[in-house]
Short mmCIF file of all heavy atoms in Angstrom, two decimals:
data_model
loop_
_atom_site.label_atom_id
_atom_site.label_comp_id
_atom_site.label_asym_id
_atom_site.label_seq_id
_atom_site.Cartn_x
_atom_site.Cartn_y
_atom_site.Cartn_z
N ARG A 87 71.01 -140.05 -97.05
CA ARG A 87 71.71 -139.87 -98.32
C ARG A 87 72.42 -138.52 -98.40
O ARG A 87 73.56 -138.41 -98.83
CB ARG A 87 70.72 -139.99 -99.47
CG ARG A 87 70.19 -141.41 -99.68
CD ARG A 87 69.26 -141.46 -100.87
NE ARG A 87 68.75 -142.81 -101.10
CZ ARG A 87 67.91 -143.12 -102.08
NH1 ARG A 87 67.48 -142.17 -102.92
NH2 ARG A 87 67.49 -144.36 -102.23
N ASP A 88 71.73 -137.47 -97.98
CA ASP A 88 72.27 -136.13 -98.17
C ASP A 88 73.13 -135.65 -97.02
O ASP A 88 73.66 -134.54 -97.06
CB ASP A 88 71.13 -135.13 -98.40
CG ASP A 88 70.05 -135.25 -97.32
OD1 ASP A 88 70.14 -136.18 -96.49
OD2 ASP A 88 69.12 -134.42 -97.31
N GLU A 89 73.26 -136.48 -95.96
CA GLU A 89 74.07 -136.14 -94.79
C GLU A 89 73.75 -134.74 -94.25
O GLU A 89 74.61 -133.85 -94.21
CB GLU A 89 75.56 -136.23 -95.12
CG GLU A 89 76.03 -137.64 -95.43
CD GLU A 89 77.54 -137.73 -95.49
OE1 GLU A 89 78.21 -136.70 -95.25
OE2 GLU A 89 78.05 -138.83 -95.77
N PRO A 90 72.51 -134.51 -93.84
CA PRO A 90 72.16 -133.18 -93.29
C PRO A 90 72.85 -132.95 -91.95
O PRO A 90 73.22 -133.90 -91.25
CB PRO A 90 70.65 -133.27 -93.13
CG PRO A 90 70.38 -134.73 -92.93
CD PRO A 90 71.38 -135.45 -93.79
N ARG A 91 72.97 -131.70 -91.59
CA ARG A 91 73.58 -131.32 -90.32
C ARG A 91 72.62 -130.43 -89.53
O ARG A 91 71.81 -129.71 -90.11
CB ARG A 91 74.92 -130.60 -90.55
CG ARG A 91 75.97 -131.50 -91.19
CD ARG A 91 77.27 -130.77 -91.43
NE ARG A 91 78.27 -131.64 -92.06
CZ ARG A 91 79.14 -132.37 -91.38
NH1 ARG A 91 79.16 -132.30 -90.05
NH2 ARG A 91 80.01 -133.13 -92.01
N CYS A 92 72.75 -130.48 -88.22
CA CYS A 92 71.92 -129.65 -87.37
C CYS A 92 72.50 -128.24 -87.30
O CYS A 92 73.55 -127.94 -87.90
CB CYS A 92 71.83 -130.26 -85.96
SG CYS A 92 73.38 -130.18 -85.04
N GLU A 93 71.84 -127.36 -86.56
CA GLU A 93 72.30 -125.98 -86.46
C GLU A 93 73.65 -125.85 -85.77
O GLU A 93 74.32 -124.81 -85.87
CB GLU A 93 71.27 -125.15 -85.68
CG GLU A 93 71.02 -125.67 -84.27
CD GLU A 93 69.97 -124.84 -83.54
OE1 GLU A 93 70.23 -123.64 -83.36
OE2 GLU A 93 68.92 -125.40 -83.19
N HIS A 94 74.09 -126.91 -85.08
CA HIS A 94 75.40 -126.89 -84.42
C HIS A 94 76.49 -127.51 -85.29
O HIS A 94 77.63 -127.67 -84.83
CB HIS A 94 75.32 -127.63 -83.08
CG HIS A 94 74.25 -127.09 -82.17
ND1 HIS A 94 73.03 -127.70 -82.03
CD2 HIS A 94 74.23 -125.99 -81.38
CE1 HIS A 94 72.28 -127.03 -81.18
NE2 HIS A 94 72.98 -125.98 -80.77
N GLY A 95 76.14 -127.90 -86.51
CA GLY A 95 77.12 -128.42 -87.44
C GLY A 95 77.35 -129.91 -87.34
O GLY A 95 78.23 -130.45 -88.02
N ARG A 96 76.58 -130.62 -86.54
CA ARG A 96 76.77 -132.06 -86.39
C ARG A 96 75.86 -132.83 -87.35
O ARG A 96 74.75 -132.40 -87.65
CB ARG A 96 76.50 -132.50 -84.95
CG ARG A 96 77.48 -131.92 -83.94
CD ARG A 96 77.23 -132.51 -82.55
NE ARG A 96 78.21 -132.04 -81.58
CZ ARG A 96 78.04 -130.98 -80.81
NH1 ARG A 96 76.91 -130.26 -80.90
NH2 ARG A 96 78.96 -130.63 -79.94
N ARG A 97 76.32 -134.00 -87.79
CA ARG A 97 75.55 -134.82 -88.71
C ARG A 97 74.29 -135.36 -88.05
O ARG A 97 74.30 -135.77 -86.89
CB ARG A 97 76.40 -135.98 -89.22
CG ARG A 97 77.58 -135.55 -90.10
CD ARG A 97 78.35 -136.77 -90.55
NE ARG A 97 79.46 -136.39 -91.42
CZ ARG A 97 80.32 -137.25 -91.93
NH1 ARG A 97 80.20 -138.55 -91.64
NH2 ARG A 97 81.31 -136.85 -92.71
N LEU A 98 73.20 -135.41 -88.80
CA LEU A 98 71.94 -135.96 -88.31
C LEU A 98 71.74 -137.39 -88.78
O LEU A 98 70.66 -137.96 -88.60
CB LEU A 98 70.77 -135.09 -88.77
CG LEU A 98 70.75 -133.67 -88.18
CD1 LEU A 98 69.58 -132.89 -88.74
CD2 LEU A 98 70.70 -133.72 -86.67
N GLY A 99 72.76 -137.97 -89.38
CA GLY A 99 72.71 -139.35 -89.82
C GLY A 99 73.93 -140.11 -89.33
O GLY A 99 74.93 -139.52 -88.91
N CYS A 100 73.84 -141.44 -89.38
CA CYS A 100 74.95 -142.30 -88.97
C CYS A 100 74.86 -143.60 -89.75
O CYS A 100 73.85 -144.30 -89.67
CB CYS A 100 74.91 -142.57 -87.47
SG CYS A 100 76.18 -143.72 -86.89
N GLY A 101 75.90 -143.90 -90.51
CA GLY A 101 75.91 -145.10 -91.32
C GLY A 101 76.57 -146.29 -90.67
O GLY A 101 76.69 -147.35 -91.28
N LEU A 102 76.97 -146.17 -89.40
CA LEU A 102 77.63 -147.27 -88.69
C LEU A 102 76.62 -148.30 -88.22
O LEU A 102 75.46 -147.98 -87.93
CB LEU A 102 78.42 -146.72 -87.50
CG LEU A 102 79.53 -145.72 -87.80
CD1 LEU A 102 80.15 -145.23 -86.49
CD2 LEU A 102 80.60 -146.34 -88.70
N ALA A 103 77.07 -149.54 -88.12
CA ALA A 103 76.26 -150.62 -87.54
C ALA A 103 76.77 -150.87 -86.12
O ALA A 103 77.81 -151.48 -85.93
CB ALA A 103 76.36 -151.88 -88.39
N HIS A 104 76.05 -150.36 -85.14
CA HIS A 104 76.50 -150.43 -83.75
C HIS A 104 76.24 -151.82 -83.16
O HIS A 104 75.18 -152.40 -83.35
CB HIS A 104 75.79 -149.37 -82.90
CG HIS A 104 76.03 -147.97 -83.36
ND1 HIS A 104 77.27 -147.39 -83.37
CD2 HIS A 104 75.17 -147.04 -83.84
CE1 HIS A 104 77.18 -146.16 -83.81
NE2 HIS A 104 75.91 -145.92 -84.12
N ALA A 105 77.22 -152.31 -82.44
CA ALA A 105 77.05 -153.57 -81.70
C ALA A 105 76.39 -153.30 -80.36
O ALA A 105 76.25 -152.14 -79.93
CB ALA A 105 78.42 -154.24 -81.50
N GLU A 106 75.98 -154.37 -79.68
CA GLU A 106 75.29 -154.23 -78.41
C GLU A 106 76.14 -153.50 -77.37
O GLU A 106 75.63 -152.74 -76.55
CB GLU A 106 74.89 -155.61 -77.87
CG GLU A 106 73.79 -156.29 -78.66
CD GLU A 106 72.44 -155.66 -78.45
OE1 GLU A 106 72.26 -154.97 -77.43
OE2 GLU A 106 71.57 -155.83 -79.31
N ASP A 107 77.45 -153.75 -77.39
CA ASP A 107 78.33 -153.16 -76.39
C ASP A 107 79.01 -151.88 -76.88
O ASP A 107 79.96 -151.40 -76.26
CB ASP A 107 79.39 -154.16 -75.96
CG ASP A 107 80.22 -154.68 -77.14
OD1 ASP A 107 79.84 -154.39 -78.29
OD2 ASP A 107 81.22 -155.37 -76.89
N ASP A 108 78.53 -151.32 -77.98
CA ASP A 108 79.11 -150.09 -78.51
C ASP A 108 78.79 -148.92 -77.58
O ASP A 108 77.62 -148.67 -77.28
CB ASP A 108 78.55 -149.81 -79.90
CG ASP A 108 79.31 -148.72 -80.65
OD1 ASP A 108 79.87 -147.82 -79.98
OD2 ASP A 108 79.35 -148.77 -81.89
N PRO A 109 79.79 -148.20 -77.08
CA PRO A 109 79.52 -147.08 -76.17
C PRO A 109 78.72 -145.95 -76.82
O PRO A 109 78.14 -145.13 -76.11
CB PRO A 109 80.93 -146.60 -75.78
CG PRO A 109 81.84 -147.13 -76.81
CD PRO A 109 81.24 -148.41 -77.29
N LEU A 110 78.66 -145.92 -78.15
CA LEU A 110 77.87 -144.89 -78.83
C LEU A 110 76.37 -145.17 -78.78
O LEU A 110 75.55 -144.25 -78.92
CB LEU A 110 78.30 -144.77 -80.29
CG LEU A 110 79.48 -143.86 -80.61
CD1 LEU A 110 79.75 -143.89 -82.10
CD2 LEU A 110 79.22 -142.43 -80.15
N ALA A 111 75.98 -146.43 -78.57
CA ALA A 111 74.57 -146.79 -78.56
C ALA A 111 73.82 -146.03 -77.47
O ALA A 111 74.21 -146.03 -76.31
CB ALA A 111 74.42 -148.29 -78.34
N GLY A 112 72.75 -145.34 -77.87
CA GLY A 112 71.95 -144.57 -76.93
C GLY A 112 72.40 -143.14 -76.74
O GLY A 112 71.71 -142.35 -76.10
N MET A 113 73.56 -142.79 -77.29
CA MET A 113 74.07 -141.42 -77.15
C MET A 113 73.43 -140.50 -78.20
O MET A 113 73.20 -140.92 -79.34
CB MET A 113 75.59 -141.42 -77.32
CG MET A 113 76.33 -142.26 -76.31
SD MET A 113 76.34 -141.50 -74.67
CE MET A 113 77.56 -140.22 -74.92
N PRO A 114 73.15 -139.24 -77.87
CA PRO A 114 72.55 -138.32 -78.83
C PRO A 114 73.49 -138.03 -79.99
O PRO A 114 74.71 -137.97 -79.82
CB PRO A 114 72.30 -137.06 -78.01
CG PRO A 114 72.36 -137.49 -76.58
CD PRO A 114 73.31 -138.64 -76.53
N LEU A 115 72.91 -137.87 -81.18
CA LEU A 115 73.72 -137.46 -82.32
C LEU A 115 74.26 -136.05 -82.11
O LEU A 115 75.38 -135.75 -82.53
CB LEU A 115 72.90 -137.53 -83.61
CG LEU A 115 72.92 -138.87 -84.36
CD1 LEU A 115 72.22 -139.97 -83.55
CD2 LEU A 115 72.26 -138.73 -85.73
N CYS A 116 73.46 -135.20 -81.48
CA CYS A 116 73.91 -133.85 -81.12
C CYS A 116 73.46 -133.54 -79.70
O CYS A 116 72.27 -133.28 -79.47
CB CYS A 116 73.35 -132.81 -82.08
SG CYS A 116 73.82 -131.11 -81.62
N PRO A 117 74.36 -133.56 -78.73
CA PRO A 117 73.98 -133.27 -77.35
C PRO A 117 73.38 -131.88 -77.17
O PRO A 117 72.53 -131.67 -76.29
CB PRO A 117 75.30 -133.41 -76.58
CG PRO A 117 76.15 -134.27 -77.45
CD PRO A 117 75.77 -133.94 -78.86
N ASP A 118 73.79 -130.91 -78.01
CA ASP A 118 73.26 -129.55 -77.87
C ASP A 118 71.82 -129.45 -78.35
O ASP A 118 71.08 -128.58 -77.90
CB ASP A 118 74.14 -128.58 -78.68
CG ASP A 118 75.55 -128.47 -78.11
OD1 ASP A 118 75.67 -128.47 -76.87
OD2 ASP A 118 76.51 -128.42 -78.89
N CYS A 119 71.42 -130.30 -79.27
CA CYS A 119 70.03 -130.31 -79.73
C CYS A 119 69.11 -131.13 -78.83
O CYS A 119 67.89 -130.96 -78.84
CB CYS A 119 69.95 -130.87 -81.16
SG CYS A 119 70.69 -129.83 -82.43
N TYR A 120 69.69 -132.05 -78.08
CA TYR A 120 68.89 -132.98 -77.27
C TYR A 120 68.10 -132.23 -76.20
O TYR A 120 68.62 -131.33 -75.53
CB TYR A 120 69.79 -134.03 -76.62
CG TYR A 120 69.04 -135.22 -76.09
CD1 TYR A 120 68.71 -136.28 -76.93
CD2 TYR A 120 68.65 -135.29 -74.76
CE1 TYR A 120 68.02 -137.39 -76.44
CE2 TYR A 120 67.96 -136.38 -74.28
CZ TYR A 120 67.64 -137.43 -75.12
OH TYR A 120 66.95 -138.52 -74.64
N ASP A 121 66.84 -132.62 -76.00
CA ASP A 121 65.96 -131.96 -75.02
C ASP A 121 66.14 -132.61 -73.65
O ASP A 121 65.31 -133.41 -73.20
CB ASP A 121 64.51 -132.07 -75.49
CG ASP A 121 63.54 -131.31 -74.58
OD1 ASP A 121 64.01 -130.55 -73.72
OD2 ASP A 121 62.32 -131.50 -74.76
#
Side-chain angles (χ1 to χ4, degrees):
R87 290 182 179 179
D88 51 353
E89 294 191 2
R91 295 179 181 269
C92 69
E93 60 181 299
H94 304 100
R96 295 186 176 92
R97 293 180 179 178
L98 295 178
C100 176
L102 299 177
H104 301 297
E106 290 288 339
D107 57 350
D108 192 331
L110 274 180
M113 300 288 284
L115 270 67
C116 177
D118 294 321
C119 291
Y120 196 84
D121 185 10

